[in-house]
Amino acid sequence: MPSLAELASEASTCRRCPLSLGRTRVVWGGGDARAGLMVVGEGPGREEDREGRPFVGRSGRLLERLLLEEAGLRREQVYIANVVKCRPPGNRDPLPEEIEACRPYLEEQVSLVGPQVVLTLGNFATRVLLGTSERISDLRGRTYRWGGEGTVLVPTFHPAAALRGGGEVQTRMRADFVRAKEALAGAPAPR
Ligand code: URA
């Protein structure tokens, strides 16, 4: 398997789907490549596309706050990636064929980082990694085994949903971030 750096370099000129035509920069992801916690979002927004880094806008600021306040982790201590690495025009939802084109990158990223816990943000990240079409509101609130290495997947809402939906969504997210911290500490065992 190639290294994370080799994959990032390959992705930087990727033409696997039409999102490549509208992007400013590929947002590969980053952070601690040996992190215990990997966070997976949906796809770059305007600021991420401009900077080439994930979660640098409003959603990112909320993500950083919840990571620190509920899991005791700074963003440099986790690895952050997205389902699609290029910005969908106008921040629309990524299309199934775009998600499929980018899926090998995400799966290789998860394998190479080898986190104990993957925190998925929102419908797209959760669905693609769990292979389901269920809704995040039904999937969150528990942990899942992921892959064959004892990785635990913790689904939660996307920070943008908390920014739109207010306090109640954020309260549930906080509980999920605590769940991720507990899973990192080895408890409770996933069902
Ligand atoms: N939303 C995401 O899902 N990912 C980002 O990188 C930024 C906003």
Side-chain angles (χ1 to χ4, degrees):
M1 197 185 278
S3 70
L4 268 178
E6 284 165 346
L7 273 179
S9 159
E10 182 190 326
S12 70
T13 55
C14 180
R15 298 280 172 214
R16 289 184 192 176
C17 87
L19 290 183
S20 62
L21 302 173
R23 73 177 176 229
T24 309
R25 311 208 18 203
V26 172
V27 181
W28 171 251
D32 180 355
R34 302 178 60 179
L37 179 69
M38 177 162 172
V39 177
V40 181
E42 179 179 318
R46 184 153 41 105
E47 289 165 77
E48 289 80 16
D49 174 68
R50 203 187 303 136
E51 286 196 32
R53 289 200 327 131
F55 284 101
V56 290
R58 275 186 81 208
S59 286
R61 287 190 285 281
L62 178 56
L63 171 64
E64 284 178 16
R65 184 142 52 85
L66 296 181
L67 275 173
L68 192 61
E69 291 178 2
E70 305 301 338
L73 292 166
R74 286 174 285 108
R75 83 173 273 155
E76 313 81 70
Q77 295 177 287
V78 306
Y79 190 89
I80 306 179
N82 281 306
V83 171
V84 292
K85 315 299 189 211
C86 299
R87 183 192 182 205
N91 291 351
R92 66 157 167 74
D93 290 347
L95 300 173
E97 55 271 28
E98 295 159 356
I99 293 171
E100 275 315 304
C102 227
R103 175 207 284 272
Y105 287 136
L106 178 64
E107 289 178 348
E108 285 176 297
Q109 269 176 313
V110 182
S111 298
L112 285 161
V113 174
Q116 283 165 261
V117 179
V118 179
L119 181 67
T120 54
L121 307 177
N123 276 315
F124 291 94
T126 308
R127 286 172 176 169
V128 73
L129 288 180
L130 285 182
T132 175
S133 55
E134 286 177 58
R135 294 149 57 97
I136 185 60
S137 45
D138 296 326
L139 293 166
R140 66 153 293 281
R142 53 163 289 197
T143 60
Y144 299 79
R145 287 186 196 281
W146 188 86
E149 312 285 330
T151 305
V152 175
L153 189 145
V154 181
T156 192
F157 294 109
H158 193 284
L163 291 171
R164 279 193 309 269
E168 206 172 303
V169 176
Q170 202 180 123
T171 302
R172 297 205 177 116
M173 286 184 81
R174 286 183 182 276
D176 295 330
F177 278 64
V178 170
R179 212 165 262 120
K181 180 176 71 174
E182 288 172 352
L184 263 180
R191 287 191 275 142

